[in-house]
Every structure is written in structure tokens, then in C-alpha cells.
């Protein structure tokens, strides 16, 4: 399936499909629910561009590889190169603000973690990153004063408040840019709040960023 970034209200976006740079353990209550210890520095990982899909229509998940968990995250679309950047440059490079699912094969991730191996197969598979349409940053305002929610079959599962991020968005972009150049068309995921859980075919997912943005999709078996 061909993925292309989209802005809300049907505004086309000509930024290319890039990589997805992610942070783990960026909300204290999620660190606790995973039985993990808070990290001294942000825990970074990357999903390839082939993981991207629209958060719309149908989301196809693997059903023969153990539990596939949802993690609902604030997503930033990068519009300008960032390398060893400062907060002002980071702010100016944000081209869009949306929501994404960091889909995670949790059973496989546990095995890989125990073996001391990289997580890529658990988090980087095709379709592992459904993303919503993006809002222009001017419509969003203060990035550290946002709330987002995920409902699964009408049941509230996740409620994130960006004020409680351990590493705030602009600091996170600066930190990432010291390790990986962020390029136009890349997406940054900012971590999941607590409440992660397994998906099943037939599920209906609705994610909302306050009253600004709504993404909705059904889950099917791949
Ligand atoms: Zn995540």
C-alpha cells in the first residue's frame, strides 16, 4: 500500500515518506505498567518508512505472532532538516501535529528484550505505524498542553496529557537530532501514556487530539 502524508481538510502534502524516530518510556505511568525503570536518557528507536499506513479505513495486524498492542502517541511531521538543533530550530521544523499508533508485537518484544536483542521485528514490521492526518502547528498551540485519547470498541483505553511527558517535545527533537539527522518527511513519535493493550480483528479504534483531530479505523487480520 502506498502511504502519503496528509493534512486535515484535504490539504495535500508533498513531503516524502521518511523514517519514524520514536522514544520509549516517555510517560512515568507507562514506565510503571511495563515494569521498567525510568531511563537516564531518552530510549530511541526507529521504524522504517515501510511501517507507515493511514490511521483510517482498516488497520491490518499480524495475528500469528503473539499479542499486537496499541500505543497511542502524539506524532510530529518534520518539514525541515534538523541536526544538532536547538529548541527554536526544532519548533520551526514541525510541519504537522497528529496522532499515531506505535503497534508493538508485545510477546516478541519481551523475548527480544530478555535476549538483549534489538526490537525491530516487534515494532518495525509493515503496517506497524498507522498515522492520522496532520494539523498545521499554528492550530495546535502549546505542544505541552495537549490531551489525546484512544477508545477501543467505545471503551476509553488511553488518555495522554503531554504536560506529563518526561522529555518534552522540543527537548526530544534536539536530543534525537544529536544522533540521527531528522529530514523533511520524517515523523517523530513522542511516547505512549499508560493503558496499552492488545488488539483483535473486529476492533474499532477512535483516537482524538482534544477537539482538534479525530482518527478512526477498524482492525482486520493481515
Ligand atoms: Zn511507543
Amino acid at each position: 500500500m502506498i502511504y502519503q502524508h496528509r493534512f486535515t481538510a484535504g490539504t495535500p502534502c508533498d513531503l516524502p515518506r521518511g523514517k519514524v524516530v520514536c522514544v520509549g518510556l516517555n510517560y512515568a505511568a507507562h514506565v510503571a505498567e511495563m515494569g521498567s525503570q525510568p531511563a537516564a536518557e531518552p530510549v530511541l528507536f526507529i521504524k522504517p518508512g515501510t511501517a507507515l499506513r493511514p490511521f483510517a479505513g482498516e488497520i491490518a495486524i499480524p495475528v500469528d505472532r503473539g499479542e499486537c498492542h496499541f500505543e497511542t502517541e502524539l506524532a510530529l511531521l518534520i518539514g525541515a532538516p534538523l541536526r544538532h538543533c536547538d529548541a527554536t530550530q526544532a519548533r520551526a521544523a514541525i510541519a504537522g501535529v497528529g496522532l499515531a499508533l506505535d503497534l508493538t508485537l508485545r510477546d516478541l518484544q519481551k523475548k527480544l528484550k530478555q535476549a538483549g536483542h534489538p526490537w525491530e521485528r516487534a515494532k518495525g514490521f509493515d503496517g506497524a505505524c498507522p498515522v492520522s492526518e496532520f494539523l498545521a502547528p499554528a492550530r495546535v498551540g502549546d505542544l505541552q498542553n495537549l490531551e489525546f485519547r484512544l477508545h477501543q470498541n467505545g471503551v476509553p483505553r488511553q488518555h495522554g496529557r503531554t504536560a506529563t511527558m518526561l522529555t518534552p517535545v522540543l527537548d526530544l527533537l534536539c536530543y534525537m537530532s544529536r544522533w540521527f539527522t531528522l529530514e523533511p518527511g520524517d515523523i517523530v513519535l513522542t511516547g505512549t501514556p499508560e493503558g496499552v493493550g492488545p488488539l483483535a480483528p473486529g476492533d474499532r479504534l477512535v483516537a482524538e487530539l482534544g477537539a482538534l483531530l479525530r482518527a478512526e479505523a477498524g482492525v482486520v487480520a493481515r
Side-chain angles (χ1 to χ4, degrees), residues 42 68 74 85 88 101 121 135 189 200 217:
C68 181
L74 187 76
C85 69
T88 305
L101 297 175
R121 285 192 293 133
L135 292 154
L189 301 194

Side-chain angles (χ1 to χ4, degrees), residues 23 45 71 73 102 123 191-192:
V23 62
F45 61 97
E71 298 187 356
E73 312 198 3
D102 169 14
K123 282 184 172 278
T192 183

Side-chain angles (χ1 to χ4, degrees), residues 108-191:
L108 176 58
Q109 186 195 28
K110 269 181 207 151
K111 271 189 218 158
L112 293 170
K113 272 186 186 173
Q114 281 163 6
H117 291 167
W119 299 343
E120 265 81 355
R121 285 192 293 133
K123 282 184 172 278
F125 57 90
D126 287 1
C129 193
V131 289
S132 74
E133 297 175 323
F134 288 94
L135 292 154
R139 291 193 52 203
V140 175
D142 182 358
L143 292 169
Q144 299 312 139
N145 190 25
L146 298 174
E147 294 196 27
F148 57 95
R149 294 169 192 271
L150 180 79
H151 286 76
Q152 181 184 30
N153 305 320
V155 179
R157 295 292 188 203
Q158 294 197 273
H159 178 193
R161 297 171 195 80
T162 60
T164 65
M165 281 182 185
L166 299 176
T167 304
V169 168
L170 298 185
D171 291 350
L172 184 62
L173 292 178
C174 294
Y175 182 82
M176 287 174 168
S177 82
R178 287 157 51 190
W179 294 93
F180 312 108
T181 299
L182 297 174
E183 297 187 293
D186 286 351
I187 288 175
V188 168
L189 301 194
T190 57

Side-chain angles (χ1 to χ4, degrees), residues 33 67-71 106 152 157-158 195-199:
E33 78 175 348
E67 285 193 353
C68 181
H69 276 204
F70 55 82
E71 298 187 356
R106 191 69 73 199
Q152 181 184 30
R157 295 292 188 203
Q158 294 197 273
V196 303
L199 292 171

